[in-house]
Amino acid sequence: MREEKMLTNGEPEEAEEEEEEEEDMVDPLVTIRSKCEQTEHCVHLREKLETCEARVNSRSNTAEDCTEELFDFLHARDHCVAHKIFNKIK
């Protein structure tokens, strides 16, 4: 009987409402990152990264990787994000 009372006192419904509210929330970091990735500088660096990846993937035997290009892109994106993210923190 205790279990029935616990299920019918409304608590499970409230938990469902909280879950729905959490699903609607969007992480501001994700939003800002995608906006920063569209800046001219980041677009240029992403193109360099994609060119490198295409070159490396087209070869069957190569020691080359695209670490430098990846780090350059991530650094530029994170630099952009760093200037905008703290305005979103409450």
Side-chain angles (χ1 to χ4, degrees):
M1 285 190 184
R2 279 187 164 177
E3 290 179 18
E4 289 177 18
K5 289 180 181 178
M6 289 174 59
L7 293 175
T8 58
N9 68 6
E11 288 180 15
E13 292 177 15
E14 290 177 18
E16 288 177 15
E17 289 176 10
E18 289 177 11
E19 288 177 14
E20 289 176 12
E21 289 176 12
E22 289 178 11
E23 289 175 9
D24 295 337
M25 294 175 57
V26 177
D27 186 358
L29 180 61
V30 173
T31 305
I32 293 171
R33 275 185 178 163
S34 58
K35 287 181 182 178
C36 284
E37 288 176 4
Q38 296 171 10
T39 63
E40 183 179 346
H41 186 60
C42 286
V43 167
H44 173 71
L45 291 171
R46 179 179 288 280
E47 288 171 357
K48 285 180 72 173
L49 174 60
E50 289 172 354
T51 301
C52 178
E53 288 175 341
R55 182 175 62 247
V56 168
N57 291 333
S58 69
R59 298 180 182 165
S60 59
N61 188 11
T62 182
E64 181 183 14
D65 61 18
C66 300
T67 304
E68 182 179 353
E69 290 82 355
L70 175 62
F71 284 173
D72 289 345
F73 169 72
L74 293 176
H75 176 77
R77 185 195 65 187
D78 290 346
H79 182 77
C80 172
V81 168
H83 290 285
K84 298 178 181 182
I85 191 70
F86 291 105
N87 293 333
K88 302 291 182 182
I89 297 176
K90 293 181 180 180

